[in-house]
Amino acid sequence: MGITMSLMSFYDFPLFDHRMQEMENASQRPRSSLSLSAWTPRCNVSETPTHFLVKAELPGVPKEKVAIDLEENVLTISGQHSEEKVEDGEKFHHVERSYGSFRRAFRLPEGVTAENVEAKFNDGVLDVRVAKPSPPTPKSTRITLN
């Protein structure tokens, strides 16, 4: 479940892609007793000549509740943002914070491997670096003329 986003140029249909992600997220939102919508971490995906980079904002999520998986060229970031304890007698007048499980998935090009993935978590920001696969070397075979 969830949407898998393929990497493409930033300028290729960004509004359409964003709206599709919003619709997919809205259809799978668990409802919290204190929040009106589920929480979806914001992510930036970019690339350098040697790596794909994914940065996810995960404020308030301990790293023990974050999972990063790579399966069939799909990088998935998932986890749980738990509700805070409510004190006895505490009444809410306004609630904007959201809680619940989350999942973001990004399709990467063929050839990426889990051995070439590095992840760091600092100050609520997850940085994932995926080394680009080496381009295949073209095979050349000399054909002998008879």
Side-chain angles (χ1 to χ4, degrees):
M1 305 233 165
I3 193 166
T4 301
M5 298 173 60
S6 295
L7 292 181
M8 64 173 81
S9 171
F10 179 72
Y11 297 103
D12 293 342
F13 309 105
L15 182 60
F16 176 77
D17 195 40
H18 178 72
R19 294 293 181 225
M20 290 299 292
Q21 179 73 44
E22 284 180 344
M23 287 189 303
E24 180 71 20
N25 290 339
S27 70
Q28 297 179 0
R29 287 184 177 152
R31 298 296 179 192
S32 166
S33 60
L34 296 177
S35 67
L36 297 175
S37 64
W39 178 65
T40 301
R42 300 293 179 217
C43 297
N44 286 349
V45 180
S46 60
E47 69 178 289
T48 68
T50 58
H51 289 83
F52 296 105
L53 310 170
V54 178
K55 289 189 179 212
E57 294 179 352
L58 304 172
V61 179
K63 73 178 186 177
E64 297 79 27
K65 295 213 176 185
V66 176
I68 305 165
D69 297 295
L70 180 64
E71 184 177 345
E72 296 182 11
N73 302 318
V74 176
L75 178 73
T76 303
I77 300 168
S78 59
Q80 179 72 31
H81 190 220
S82 301
E83 290 187 50
E84 297 173 356
K85 279 189 163 186
V86 177
E87 295 182 25
D88 286 340
E90 183 177 8
K91 296 179 184 178
F92 286 88
H93 297 280
H94 185 80
V95 176
E96 291 185 358
R97 297 180 69 192
S98 297
Y99 304 95
S101 61
F102 61 88
R103 180 180 179 276
R104 298 295 307 266
F106 305 93
R107 181 169 303 283
L108 299 172
E110 288 280 331
V112 296
T113 62
E115 293 80 30
N116 294 321
V117 177
E118 298 174 6
K120 295 179 183 176
F121 193 65
N122 190 29
D123 293 333
V125 177
L126 175 67
D127 286 309
V128 182
R129 295 175 56 87
V130 182
K132 289 182 176 179
S134 301
T137 54
K139 279 189 165 182
S140 177
T141 305
R142 184 161 300 235
I143 307 300
T144 307
L145 294 173
N146 292 329

